[in-house]
Amino acid sequence: MVSRLRSKLLVAAILVPLVLVACGGGGASNTQQASTKPIVIGGTLGLTGAFAGPSVEYNAVYNYWLQQVNAKGGLLGRKVEMKIFNDESTPTTAQQLYNQLINGDKVDLLLAPFATPIGGAIVPIVEQHHILLFNGGFVGINIFNNADGWVIGSYTYQEPDYTKGLFQLINTLPSDQRPTKVAIFTAQNPFTLVDRDGLNGQGGALQYAKQAGLKVVVNEQYPSTTTDFTGLVQKAKSAGADLVLELGTPNDSIQVARTVNQLGYKPKIFCTCGSQATTLPAWPQLGAAGEGVVGTTVSWPNQGFPGLSNLQQFFKQRNEQDIPTYGVVAYAILQVLQQAVEGAKTTDQTKLRHYILSGHVFRTAAGDIKYQSNGTPTYSQIVLQYINGQNQVVWPEKVATGKLVVPLS
């Protein structure tokens, strides 16, 4: 079945073949063949289905990095090849394809798929085979904690801390600008529920709101298939919530923003704190509905992290005014992969795992990353507000490009 599926999806896959370095003489020895064989990086993306939008950003960055690394001679003196198949945004398809990549294609290194539901489904497979999963595709603190260091991430904040930066910012506001009542809309999704509830009493929007002395007046979950948010938004408006937290996927967040605008609802702060939606190319298309909305990301070009400036130009050439967060974490995880392989001088999975978790610092577009024992970077976060058709950094103060505009207008 896996073989048939692979054949079916191969046409839709991004397969970047590279010519092997030719060996002179009357035939290469086994050692020469091993030294000239390409390093193959495998993975999947939801190139069709619910996650096609963000997956396009990942795919673009993967190809951009691939061109760069091969222009400089590849890894360990070997050309690099990528096999990124279409998982159709479906967990079972991703599972079948990762089994094929590991057992059939025998790839050297693995990249994670996009989105927590897809990533969570394939983690048991990589753990079983003791293969590192270089993960720029999803968050999931429980997944990391249970993966015994076989999942290595590039997101600089996990779900319990998705709203942390926002509440840090709120705590600095003058009393007349501080919200007092909170409405929380949460998608029925593993990562957004932890975004709301935290983990083991730590983090989470409910805990941060309580610590800030704010009253939660609406706390509603909605199915991932929801398309009409009128009832939820009207409930928050009627309750007088002046802080709205939308903890959902990009599509949800965009639709909630439209609904807030359509109903003439003007809370002091409206944050898409479940996904980094305001950095996506679809956000400017919202027009007035996108104005004033707060979002988060992992880094910003003015921080000068390695590769950020070139990455910004790359996305401008794609007619995107900002670097989408997905672009940053996709590039950062490949920077980690490259530095780990070159630092450890091997693609051996156990040696790479030890190298990454043994205190080395990786210089990336997401900042300088030093890994904790569970494979996550230490916390850092940027809070944005979309003002006058562009994102401004409003927190932390040391890298801010503007001040939070309150109330939402």
Side-chain angles (χ1 to χ4, degrees):
M1 179 178 180
V2 171
S3 179
R4 292 198 303 271
L5 180 65
R6 180 174 179 270
S7 297
K8 175 183 176 182
L9 294 180
L10 189 57
V11 175
I14 303 95
L15 180 57
V16 187
L18 291 160
V19 179
L20 298 181
V21 178
C23 295
S29 67
N30 289 337
T31 301
Q32 287 175 317
Q33 288 174 350
S35 67
T36 57
K37 181 180 178 182
I39 290 176
V40 181
I41 302 173
T44 75
L45 290 170
L47 300 171
T48 57
F51 302 133
S55 292
V56 168
E57 308 292 353
Y58 279 89
N59 178 46
V61 172
Y62 288 175
N63 285 323
Y64 171 64
W65 175 84
L66 188 66
Q67 292 173 356
Q68 287 184 321
V69 75
N70 280 322
K72 295 179 180 179
L75 295 176
L76 304 179
R78 297 157 62 185
K79 292 293 186 179
V80 181
E81 179 180 300
M82 273 196 185
K83 292 184 177 181
I84 306 297
F85 295 123
N86 181 10
D87 61 37
E88 300 176 337
S89 305
T90 305
T92 53
T93 302
Q95 289 172 328
Q96 292 164 352
L97 288 170
Y98 275 89
N99 273 316
Q100 174 61 38
L101 286 163
I102 294 168
N103 298 317
D105 295 324
K106 299 188 183 302
V107 298
D108 298 290
L109 301 161
L110 279 179
L111 289 173
F114 172 71
T116 305
I118 311 297
I122 65 98
V123 166
I125 297 171
V126 301
E127 284 186 88
Q128 177 188 354
H129 290 86
H130 283 189
I131 293 178
L132 278 176
L133 186 67
F134 288 90
N135 175 21
F138 63 90
V139 296
I141 191 63
N142 279 316
I143 295 172
F144 280 98
N145 286 344
N146 295 324
D148 195 27
W150 291 105
V151 180
I152 303 298
S154 58
Y155 271 96
T156 58
Y157 53 98
Q158 297 295 307
E159 319 97 289
D161 293 326
Y162 260 51
T163 57
K164 181 176 180 176
L166 174 67
F167 280 99
Q168 288 175 329
L169 172 57
I170 287 172
N171 288 336
T172 69
L173 295 177
S175 57
D176 62 329
Q177 293 184 8
R178 282 173 57 91
T180 59
K181 297 179 180 179
V182 187
I184 304 176
F185 309 149
T186 310
Q188 292 172 350
N189 184 302
F191 91 86
T192 47
L193 292 174
V194 180
D195 186 353
R196 181 192 66 185
D197 299 335
L199 183 69
N200 298 327
Q202 300 297 313
L206 289 172
Q207 177 77 359
Y208 289 131
K210 181 179 179 181
Q211 292 172 347
L214 309 184
K215 182 179 181 181
V216 177
V217 294
V218 176
N219 182 9
E220 296 282 345
Q221 295 182 37
Y222 60 86
S224 59
T225 54
T226 301
T227 56
D228 185 353
F229 292 91
T230 304
L232 277 180
V233 174
Q234 187 60 59
K235 186 172 184 178
K237 184 178 181 182
S238 298
D242 49 5
L243 170 60
V244 175
L245 303 179
E246 158 53 17
L247 312 181
T249 64
N251 288 343
D252 303 344
S253 300
I254 288 170
Q255 189 54 46
V256 170
R258 286 196 182 104
T259 307
V260 167
N261 180 254
Q262 289 166 356
L263 294 180
Y265 182 23
K266 296 188 181 299
K268 286 184 176 179
I269 301 173
F270 167 36
C271 182
T272 58
C273 284
S275 61
Q276 296 77 19
T278 66
T279 67
L280 292 177
W283 197 262
Q285 299 172 20
L286 285 173
E291 279 292 313
V293 178
V294 173
T296 64
T297 192
V298 299
S299 65
W300 205 245
N302 67 339
Q303 292 178 284
F305 295 144
L308 267 181
S309 177
N310 289 339
L311 203 58
Q312 183 181 37
Q313 292 304 313
F314 171 74
F315 278 102
K316 283 185 176 179
Q317 290 169 7
R318 290 170 53 83
N319 296 318
E320 298 182 35
Q321 65 184 31
D322 291 322
I323 305 175
T325 305
Y326 302 129
V328 177
V329 291
Y331 194 72
I333 200 60
L334 287 165
Q335 290 174 305
V336 170
L337 178 152
Q338 180 175 356
Q339 291 169 41
V341 169
E342 292 174 344
K345 297 179 173 58
T346 184
T347 59
D348 179 87
Q349 302 295 298
T350 300
K351 291 179 181 179
L352 283 175
R353 175 175 172 270
H354 174 74
Y355 183 88
I356 292 168
L357 298 179
S358 61
H360 290 90
V361 176
F362 298 86
R363 302 194 68 232
T364 79
D368 287 352
I369 292 178
K370 185 176 181 179
Y371 281 99
Q372 303 176 93
S373 61
N374 67 353
T376 62
T378 53
Y379 168 84
S380 67
Q381 187 179 49
I382 297 292
V383 180
L384 304 168
Q385 187 177 33
Y386 194 81
I387 295 290
N388 296 325
Q390 61 182 1
N391 281 293
Q392 297 281 356
V393 178
V394 293
W395 184 263
E397 291 180 350
K398 62 183 180 181
V399 294
T401 60
K403 290 187 175 296
L404 183 73
V405 177
V406 179
L408 174 66
S409 59

